């Protein structure tokens, strides 16, 4: 009897050594979960049960349980290296066969699918191609779309600026105004006492003469200017420049040119045919406290995108108007300044990088400064993690004991969060495992002594005469 008891103890100690040795061997394995040996005593029993003074028959390995506690997070230089901080498993597919892992070694294959180092595809929620929103609940193979990002034509331009109230009309503007005004008054019935209508007509003639002096190539003909890049439907970049000319105490003319051309006629500013009196112009009026009173936004119509040679780029003209919004602009006694400018267009863009946020959103970054969601990583959890079946390569499979997987987005429910550019280290505690080695060794030696002692006793009986 003691031989069997000692032998069971040796077997149990050997199993403990194997499990501890496996833990130590995988101390550097990403996503590895340590195991522990769980033992149970053995008693001989008849059909009707054991007696009141039953003697133990040894020990047996009841279970090799894996411990799914969190491992340390270490950071890497690969944005597709992923770590789970909290509960859950990555879901991977090998031709439809699902497995679950905490090892976040991921990259892309030749087809753009996100795969682990075993070639299994990472699972996630895809994107609706029409709405651009995540298809919640529809699991698919995550794939990186490397196509260029489509351009977007500019339709809205907004800027906030201050025009200097201390500035005066440009000198050439004033000269031409005065000359035209005087010439108009001279034609009045009584130049010494012109009628209100004659004065109004003289002022209009003066304004027209002053506006005719505007020349984008001559900075002496305007007070201030500012530019912003805009884009046509093919992603071609164009420069819209706004020129400001003061024409009265609280009134300004704003001229708009695109690529140095009148947007409506396409005539270049340096062309003799350029007519400042018919080019795109807007009146900006301010009240006595410097607030803009001209209704906003302003509409720019009729622009046909042209290239540097003045030929059509092939891009569509903007559908509807391009709106120019100056809401919040002021006329204060301070220098000209642009405090904010935005426009909603952008050129085409190439894929520049990927990032995954804590909720698993796969976001592509493009060279045009835009971003686009390409999917969402999913995680799985189980009612009984201990019931998962180990597959090797730091992966597990669902079993009857584990229950059905609950699959969802990271940070939802009891699922943990995703850390991009990081890996979860093994949760093996080397110090603890080395102590376990000593304990298992002592147990092995002690059970060997049981067999040795039983052998001595048996030999004594054999030696009896």
């Amino acid at each position: 009897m003691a031989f069997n008891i000692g032998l069971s103890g040796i077997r149990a100690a050997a199993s403990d050594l194997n499990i501890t040795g496996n833990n130590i061997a995988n101390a550097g394995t990403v996503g590895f979960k340590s195991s522990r040996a769980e033992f149970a005593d053995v008693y001989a029993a008849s059909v009707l049960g054991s007696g009141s003074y039953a003697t133990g028959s040894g020990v047996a390995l009841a279970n090799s349980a894996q411990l799914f506690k969190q491992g340390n997070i270490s950071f890497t230089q690969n944005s597709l290296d992923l770590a789970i901080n909290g509960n859950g498993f990555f879901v991977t597919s090998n031709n439809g066969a699902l497995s679950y892992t905490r090892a976040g070694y991921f990259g892309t294959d030749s087809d753009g699918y996100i795969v682990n180092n075993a070639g299994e595809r990472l699972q996630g929620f895809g994107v609706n191609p029409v709405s651009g929103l995540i298809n919640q609940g529809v699991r698919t193979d995550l794939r990186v779309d490397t196509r260029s990002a489509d351009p977007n034509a500019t339709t809205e331009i907004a800027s906030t600026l201050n025009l200097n109230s201390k500035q005066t009309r440009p000198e050439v503007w004033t000269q031409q105004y005065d000359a035209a005004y005087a010439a108009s008054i001279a034609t009045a019935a009584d130049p010494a006492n012109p009628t209100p209508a004659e004065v109004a007509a003289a002022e209009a003639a003066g304004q027209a003469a002053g506006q005719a002096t505007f020349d984008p190539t001559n900075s002496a003909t305007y007070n201030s200017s500012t530019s912003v890049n805009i884009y046509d439907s093919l992603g071609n970049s164009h420069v819209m420049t706004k020129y400001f000319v003061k024409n009265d105490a609280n009134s300004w003319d704003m001229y708009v040119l695109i690529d140095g051309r009148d947007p409506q006629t396409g005539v270049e500013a340096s062309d003799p045919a350029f007519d400042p009196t018919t080019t795109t112009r807007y009146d900006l009026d301010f009240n006595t406290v410097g607030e803009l009173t001209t209704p906003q936004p302003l509409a720019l119509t009729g622009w046909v995108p042209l290239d540097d040679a003045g030929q059509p780029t092939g891009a569509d003209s903007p559908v509807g108007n391009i709106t120019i919004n100056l809401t919040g602009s002021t006329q204060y006694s301070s220098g000209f300044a642009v405090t904010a400018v935005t426009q909603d267009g952008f050129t085409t863009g190439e894929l520049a990088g990927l990032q995954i946020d804590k909720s698993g959103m796969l976001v592509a970054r493009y060279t045009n400064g835009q971003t686009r969601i390409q999917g969402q990583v999913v995680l799985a959890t189980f009612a009984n993690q201990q019931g998962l079946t180990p597959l090797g390569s730091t992966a597990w499979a669902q079993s009857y004991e584990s229950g059905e997987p609950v699959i969802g987005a990271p940070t939802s429910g009891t699922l943990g969060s995703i850390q991009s550019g990081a890996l979860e280290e093994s949760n093996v505690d080397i110090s603890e495992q080395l102590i376990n080695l000593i304990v298992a060794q002592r147990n092995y030696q002690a059970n060997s002594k049981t067999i040795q002692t039983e052998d001595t006793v048996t030999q004594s009986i054999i030696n009896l005469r």
Side-chain angles (χ1 to χ4, degrees):
M1 185 69 173
F3 282 116
N4 290 332
I5 294 174
L7 182 59
S8 70
I10 286 177
R11 288 172 177 167
S15 298
D16 197 5
L17 283 171
N18 289 338
I19 292 171
T20 303
N22 186 59
N23 289 339
I24 294 174
N26 285 281
T29 302
V30 167
F32 177 79
K33 299 303 176 184
S34 61
S35 300
R36 71 180 181 191
E38 296 178 352
F39 300 106
D41 55 1
V42 178
Y43 280 84
S46 67
V47 175
L48 299 179
S50 60
S52 301
Y53 302 100
T55 303
S57 298
V59 64
L61 179 66
N63 188 27
S64 176
Q66 291 199 290
L67 307 177
F68 288 93
K69 66 180 182 179
Q70 179 74 40
N72 293 329
I73 303 295
S74 62
F75 292 90
T76 69
Q77 301 300 317
N78 178 15
S79 63
L80 286 181
D81 282 342
L82 303 178
I84 301 173
N85 192 355
N87 190 32
F89 297 85
F90 296 113
V91 184
T92 60
S93 173
N94 183 11
N95 295 322
L98 299 183
S99 59
Y100 307 89
T101 182
R102 297 278 296 195
Y105 288 120
F106 292 109
T108 55
D109 64 11
S110 58
D111 295 321
Y113 289 101
I114 300 178
V115 297
N116 62 12
N117 51 12
E120 297 177 343
R121 294 178 178 178
L122 180 63
Q123 300 297 287
F125 297 142
V127 176
N128 186 305
V130 177
S131 66
L133 301 177
I134 295 294
N135 285 330
Q136 293 288 345
V138 182
R139 182 177 52 78
T140 186
D141 299 335
L142 286 181
R143 188 178 188 182
V144 177
D145 187 353
T146 58
R147 293 176 299 174
S148 300
D150 296 336
N152 185 63
T154 299
T155 59
E156 298 179 2
I157 304 166
S159 57
T160 305
L161 48 86
N162 179 69
L163 298 174
N164 190 350
S165 64
K166 294 187 293 185
Q167 286 187 320
T168 59
R169 298 165 172 170
E171 183 177 353
V172 64
W173 195 100
T174 301
Q175 291 172 350
Q176 293 300 314
Y177 176 91
D178 292 343
Y181 182 88
S184 180
I185 291 296
T187 63
D190 182 4
N193 296 292
T195 65
E198 291 171 332
V199 170
E203 289 178 345
Q207 283 282 348
Q211 291 168 355
T213 64
F214 171 66
D215 181 1
T217 64
N218 183 3
S219 61
T221 64
Y222 55 88
N223 298 90
S224 308
S225 66
T226 182
S227 299
V228 62
N229 287 334
I230 62 173
Y231 300 91
D232 62 26
S233 62
L234 294 179
N236 298 305
S237 176
H238 303 270
V239 179
M240 172 184 282
T241 306
K242 298 188 285 289
Y243 300 88
F244 301 93
V245 180
K246 190 167 188 178
N247 61 45
D248 208 344
N250 293 320
S251 181
W252 297 71
D253 288 324
M254 182 180 75
Y255 296 87
V256 174
L257 272 68
I258 298 179
D259 295 332
R261 300 174 183 274
D262 182 350
Q264 296 176 324
T265 64
V267 177
E268 195 170 4
S270 59
D271 192 316
F274 181 80
D275 186 356
T277 62
T278 60
T279 193
T280 306
R281 180 180 58 84
Y282 304 90
D283 295 322
L284 300 181
D285 297 318
F286 296 84
N287 59 23
T288 56
V289 294
E291 298 171 337
L292 180 64
T293 58
T294 302
Q296 301 296 311
L298 308 171
L300 174 65
T301 60
W303 174 50
V304 176
L306 303 176
D307 60 20
D308 293 340
Q311 301 301 313
T313 64
D316 291 333
S317 298
V319 178
N321 301 328
I322 294 179
T323 59
I324 302 174
N325 198 327
L326 301 177
T327 299
S329 294
T330 56
Q331 181 195 234
Y332 293 148
S333 180
S334 59
F336 173 78
V338 179
T339 56
V341 59
T342 59
Q343 61 85 31
D344 62 349
F346 47 84
T347 187
T348 185
E350 302 300 324
L351 183 65
L354 296 169
Q355 61 187 46
I356 299 176
D357 66 15
K358 66 179 181 180
S359 63
M361 289 292 185
L362 176 62
V363 181
R365 293 182 290 103
Y366 296 89
T367 54
N368 60 2
Q370 302 301 305
T371 59
R372 186 168 65 196
I373 294 176
Q374 295 200 355
Q376 184 178 23
V377 178
V378 298
L379 298 180
T381 187
F382 296 86
N384 176 24
Q385 294 179 342
Q386 298 287 342
L388 291 170
T389 301
L391 299 177
S393 299
T394 327
W396 293 268
Q398 173 192 349
S399 71
Y400 177 80
E401 289 78 11
S402 69
E404 291 292 324
V406 178
I407 297 177
T411 71
S412 66
T414 61
L415 296 173
S417 61
I418 298 288
Q419 177 64 62
S420 177
L423 294 169
E424 181 188 5
E425 297 177 353
S426 165
N427 65 358
V428 172
D429 184 335
I430 290 293
S431 299
E432 178 183 354
Q433 299 304 314
L434 292 176
I435 292 173
N436 287 345
L437 278 180
I438 297 173
V439 172
Q441 179 187 15
R442 293 304 183 196
N443 288 341
Y444 196 100
Q445 291 173 331
N447 283 282
S448 298
K449 281 294 183 182
T450 300
I451 295 175
Q452 182 181 10
T453 302
E454 181 66 14
D455 178 60
T456 301
V457 171
T458 304
Q459 188 64 40
S460 297
I461 294 175
I462 294 173
N463 292 334
L464 288 177
R465 297 281 188 241

